[in-house]
Amino acid sequence: MGQQVQRLAAYAVIVRGDRILLSRLAERVTKHELWTLPGGGVDHGEDPRAAVIREIYEETGLHAEVGETAHVFSMHLSDTWRRGRRVDAHSVRMVYDGWVASDAPDPRVVEIDGSTADAAWQPIADVLDGTLPTVGLVTEALAVLLPYRRQRVAAYAYVERDGALLLTRNSALGPHPGVWTLPGGGIDHGESPGATVLRELQEECGLDGELGALLTVDDHHFTGTAPTGRREDFHAIRIVYRATVPDGAEPRVVEVDGTTDAVAWVPIAEVSADEESYSSLVRAAIAAAGD
């Protein structure tokens, strides 16, 4: 039996839609094409979460964030080779849920003469069916990967004028880019839902509103990419109030680089004729208003 060698390493599973961010091992590590999760050894005294963020940047050039907890995988090879010598190797590998910004640039290797030679978003299907050659850790990590669970309570305004609704359009930073929805957003800690509606009307539409009666409470559950770039199992609870704005007031987007990129008065008839362009919240609110 060779010398006992133990290695502690940290990695991240970073998924975007149907692709996963992977690093290709350099030729000095393996002569064959082989892809792995971005990550690497934890330096002495280094926090594992700091280590994986550092390694992700070195191997992909991307600034990432990782969750608070990790899955731990252990691999023991009692007789193997490391750096030209026979060893009894034990690898302890912590794998975190990670994410990068939705508008992050294409990945590229930053570290010179490191253990990886390329970085790319690879199809998850190619990983799972073996089309793309990967180390075992990749499929092991994907098997236990679950999206981050998040529940959000938000309040919205139903503002109707002359048969048209005041609507806002989700920007590329929103969960459904290009889709129109009601003005509104998340309720801050300690903030009343009514106060949220009036604040969001000002931030998203540049309008001073007056709060009316509660119209409906709706919920929506889906898995998607959050504005941060993190994959989430998202449950939205949406409180809708009737509201009014001054006659003749024209909306405009006030918040810069936010989740709203346009605001407009949209005829209700147009919403009914084109369901794909409008959120389920808009349709639920219209239905409630007609009851």
Side-chain angles (χ1 to χ4, degrees):
M1 180 181 295
Q3 178 183 357
Q4 291 184 346
V5 176
Q6 189 176 68
R7 181 176 184 261
L8 178 65
Y11 299 86
V13 179
I14 301 176
V15 170
R16 176 185 288 172
D18 60 356
R19 293 179 177 268
I20 181 172
L21 182 63
L22 296 178
S23 298
R24 181 169 61 83
L25 292 173
E27 188 175 345
R28 69 178 183 83
V29 178
T30 175
K31 300 298 181 182
H32 305 286
E33 179 186 6
L34 198 60
W35 294 79
T36 185
L37 299 175
V42 179
D43 293 338
H44 182 77
E46 186 178 32
D47 183 275
R49 293 177 72 245
V52 70
I53 289 172
R54 170 181 56 77
E55 289 281 351
I56 291 169
Y57 179 74
E58 291 175 356
E59 295 182 356
T60 72
L62 300 179
H63 297 282
E65 296 183 65
V66 297
E68 295 290 335
T69 60
H71 285 91
V72 178
F73 299 87
S74 176
M75 182 177 68
H76 182 207
L77 299 174
S78 60
D79 188 10
T80 188
W81 291 87
R82 291 287 188 274
R83 298 181 179 179
R85 58 180 178 144
R86 177 169 286 174
V87 297
D88 177 359
H90 179 210
S91 296
V92 179
R93 300 163 297 178
M94 295 174 285
V95 180
Y96 292 86
D97 162 37
W99 62 97
V100 297
S102 300
D103 58 352
D106 292 336
R108 60 182 179 84
V109 178
V110 173
E111 186 180 30
I112 298 174
D113 295 329
S115 59
T116 60
D118 194 10
W121 293 99
Q122 297 286 3
I124 294 175
D126 289 356
V127 173
L128 296 179
D129 68 11
T131 301
L132 186 77
T134 65
V135 300
L137 180 63
V138 178
T139 51
E140 288 181 273
L142 279 172
V144 298
L145 176 67
L146 292 174
Y148 175 69
R149 294 178 63 180
R150 183 183 176 213
Q151 189 176 69
R152 179 176 181 259
V153 181
Y156 297 84
Y158 183 91
V159 185
E160 183 179 349
R161 185 175 74 183
D162 300 328
L165 279 181
L166 180 64
L167 299 180
T168 60
R169 188 177 66 187
N170 289 329
S171 72
L173 297 178
H176 301 290
V179 172
W180 291 84
T181 189
L182 299 178
I187 300 172
D188 292 339
H189 183 79
E191 183 180 39
S192 71
T196 300
V197 169
L198 299 181
R199 172 176 57 78
E200 291 284 350
L201 272 172
Q202 179 57 237
E203 291 177 358
E204 293 186 344
C205 306
L207 298 175
D208 293 321
E210 184 174 333
L211 193 69
L214 176 68
L215 177 61
T216 188
V217 177
D218 176 70
D219 82 300
H220 185 45
H221 182 204
F222 67 96
T223 298
T225 301
T228 60
R230 190 176 198 179
R231 183 167 173 262
E232 292 183 342
D233 177 359
F234 189 78
H235 183 209
I237 299 175
R238 308 178 293 193
I239 305 168
V240 183
Y241 287 87
R242 290 185 181 272
T244 58
V245 297
D247 291 340
E250 289 303 321
R252 60 184 177 85
V253 177
V254 175
E255 190 177 28
V256 179
D257 295 329
T259 56
T260 296
D261 63 8
V263 58
W265 292 99
V266 179
I268 293 177
E270 184 176 316
V271 176
S272 302
D274 180 13
E275 292 188 356
E276 291 186 2
S277 298
Y278 302 92
S279 73
S280 61
L281 175 62
V282 175
R283 299 191 295 275
I286 291 173
D291 290 342

